[in-house]
Amino acid sequence: MFVRTNVTPLVPVLLSAVLLTAGCAGQDDAKSRPANPASPTTPHGYVEGATEAAEQQSRLLLGDTGSGDTRVLDLITGKTHETPRRAGVTHLTTDGRFGFFHGADRTHVLDSGAWMVDHGDHVHYYRAKTREVGELPGGAGTSVRSDKGVTVATAEDGEARAYLRTELEKGALGTPDRLPGAYAGPVVPYAEHLVALVRDGDASADGDAPAKVVVLDRSGKRVAAPESACEDPKGDAVTRRGVVLGCADGALLVREDDGDFTVERIPYGEDVPRTERAAEFRHRPGSTTLTARAGKDAVWILDVTERAFKRVETGGPVIAANTAGEGAPLVVLQSDGALHGYDISTGKETTATGRLLKDVPGTTGGGTGTPVIEVDRSRAYLNDPAGSRVYEIDYNDNLRIARTFDLDVRPSLMVETGR
């Protein structure tokens, strides 16, 4: 069930429709029915078993760490669909289409049935049925990163396996290729290659030596090793400008240009204590503006285009933060249970909601899961585990609550797909 509050027309939706129509001549501008792939009239962008749409088909994957119950919330219809219980799941991640429910020793893979394909000058949006795919070895310590060709699962000990994306899209894991060596962080698919961090010597995942960037082909063969050094690597993100890797003194930006790979350092510009470093980046997929908690009472903004970190002081404990970038505000959930908006350019607070979460983890000892903020081109989503609801926020309208989704589970885990 959901409550709608003053929902206004969405400019990004209309823009997506225009782009889809202009970039894919001859295709329906709303939803196109699956066609015979052998037919000469098969529309551009055809995907067997899926329906194409002119607008983003976002869905939220939700998990209750207490009961193991999971749900898929369709943000187009507002309906919630039940999916199999997953006892012992502690983390939930996504690559934009597939959800990865991380347990103690296994990671369950769910095809959300919502995704997008970016062709640069236009975008295709798709929706299909949600379905189970299988289980990956490795649990909470396993990192999963994907692109349109492969999905790579990197275990806590640094062992990595690459799965063909086409197999996952068919509903099966297939037989993975084990990449040689051990890695000091997640192996990240990028530019038809794999970007990884290794340590000197035996290239083991453990140790105190700085890690260095290596570029691999899809079989795991090393093809480039640009000069680099990354102490205490934590956090990574893929942007239109390249792959960002978090390090003790800032970040490394790995870029590809006509087959050549380079590494550029983006320093903090000051000495930053270990507890205040950016350890996990969050951003809108495709954006070049990244966020990360900066200790207790601040948020890091990393502008990849400008190659600069900026620290935004919040004056209160930060629970979660995110931004859509490109002029949008920094949205922060603080320990008062309210969302606060900050102007990224000035660091000044511009707006705040009333208290949305009555039980905020870390302040009352509720233990119901840590909320997150998911952001797309027009809305932000905040999960309220204790209140068994999800808020949809219009961040361009003073953090107005556009919709409230009441649930029959505690959504302590949440990711958005279809972006």
Side-chain angles (χ1 to χ4, degrees):
M1 179 178 70
F2 70 91
V3 178
R4 184 185 297 265
T5 307
N6 297 329
V7 179
T8 56
L10 302 181
V11 172
V13 169
L14 297 177
L15 179 59
S16 297
V18 172
L19 290 174
L20 184 60
T21 303
C24 308
Q27 181 175 300
D28 292 342
D29 61 359
K31 295 181 179 179
S32 59
R33 295 185 179 182
N36 181 352
S39 168
T41 60
T42 298
H44 168 64
Y46 168 81
V47 175
E48 184 176 2
T51 299
E52 185 169 6
E55 62 189 58
Q56 186 172 286
Q57 301 294 297
S58 290
R59 294 173 178 174
L60 296 179
L61 306 188
L62 307 166
D64 184 337
T65 55
S67 67
D69 290 331
T70 63
R71 299 288 186 270
V72 176
L73 172 58
D74 191 319
L75 294 171
I76 300 298
T77 66
K79 295 181 179 180
T80 304
H81 305 278
E82 186 174 344
T83 48
R85 295 184 70 242
R86 307 185 189 281
V89 169
T90 57
H91 294 80
L92 173 59
T93 59
T94 186
D95 59 10
R97 172 174 177 174
F98 295 90
F100 304 99
F101 293 81
H102 303 267
D105 57 5
R106 287 286 185 271
T107 296
H108 300 269
V109 184
L110 177 72
D111 185 347
S112 73
W115 70 96
M116 63 164 280
V117 178
D118 189 349
H119 286 289
D121 61 341
H122 66 281
V123 177
H124 295 272
Y125 297 104
Y126 298 97
R127 61 185 293 120
K129 292 182 179 180
T130 300
R131 62 179 173 179
E132 298 291 310
V133 177
E135 290 186 340
L136 301 174
T142 298
S143 302
V144 184
R145 304 291 185 266
S146 304
D147 68 0
K148 62 183 180 181
V150 295
T151 291
V152 182
T154 309
E156 199 166 16
D157 63 2
E159 183 176 291
R161 292 180 172 86
Y163 297 80
L164 285 177
R165 189 74 171 182
T166 53
E167 294 296 319
L168 270 68
E169 292 169 354
K170 294 176 183 176
L173 294 177
T175 302
D177 290 329
R178 187 188 182 284
L179 303 180
Y183 303 94
V187 176
V188 182
Y190 168 67
E192 299 183 4
H193 289 75
L194 305 173
V195 173
L197 287 167
V198 299
R199 299 192 188 279
D200 292 331
D202 61 2
S204 64
D206 300 323
D208 296 328
K212 61 181 181 180
V213 173
V214 294
V215 180
L216 316 172
D217 65 16
R218 290 301 166 99
S219 68
K221 179 182 178 182
R222 189 177 300 189
V223 296
E227 184 176 349
S228 59
C230 182
E231 293 188 15
D232 194 21
K234 282 185 175 63
D236 61 276
V238 178
T239 75
R240 292 183 182 274
R241 302 286 181 178
V243 177
V244 174
L245 304 171
C247 308
D249 59 353
L252 297 179
L253 176 63
V254 185
R255 301 186 66 195
E256 182 269 343
D257 183 14
D258 197 23
D260 293 327
F261 289 85
T262 60
V263 176
E264 185 175 350
R265 185 173 302 280
I266 306 176
Y268 285 121
E270 59 183 278
D271 291 332
V272 177
R274 182 185 179 94
T275 56
E276 297 180 10
R277 296 174 189 165
E280 180 182 2
F281 295 107
R282 297 188 64 82
H283 69 306
R284 175 180 60 78
S287 171
T288 56
T289 305
L290 311 184
T291 67
R293 293 175 61 181
K296 185 179 179 181
D297 301 330
V299 176
W300 287 113
I301 300 293
L302 172 54
D303 186 328
V304 180
T305 301
E306 297 296 328
R307 313 289 200 270
F309 276 95
K310 181 173 184 175
R311 186 184 179 107
V312 175
E313 302 290 342
T314 60
V318 175
I319 307 300
N322 211 334
T323 183
E326 300 176 3
L330 168 65
V331 183
V332 182
L333 173 67
Q334 296 182 206
S335 59
D336 59 1
L339 286 177
H340 299 253
Y342 294 85
D343 185 307
I344 290 178
S345 61
T346 65
K348 301 296 184 182
E349 183 173 344
T350 57
T351 188
T353 67
R355 184 169 187 172
L356 298 178
L357 276 61
K358 295 182 179 180
D359 181 5
V360 181
T363 60
T364 63
T368 53
T370 302
V372 296
I373 299 171
E374 292 285 317
V375 175
D376 58 36
R377 289 185 177 276
S378 61
R379 294 289 189 264
Y381 297 91
L382 171 68
N383 56 321
D384 178 5
S388 297
R389 63 176 64 93
V390 170
Y391 293 104
E392 181 181 75
I393 309 295
D394 186 347
Y395 53 77
N396 285 318
D397 189 11
N398 295 315
L399 304 183
R400 176 179 60 85
I401 299 175
R403 291 186 289 180
T404 299
F405 300 93
D406 294 316
L407 307 167
D408 61 348
V409 298
R410 289 190 169 194
S412 46
L413 305 174
M414 181 182 76
V415 295
E416 183 179 357
T417 64
R419 297 177 293 181

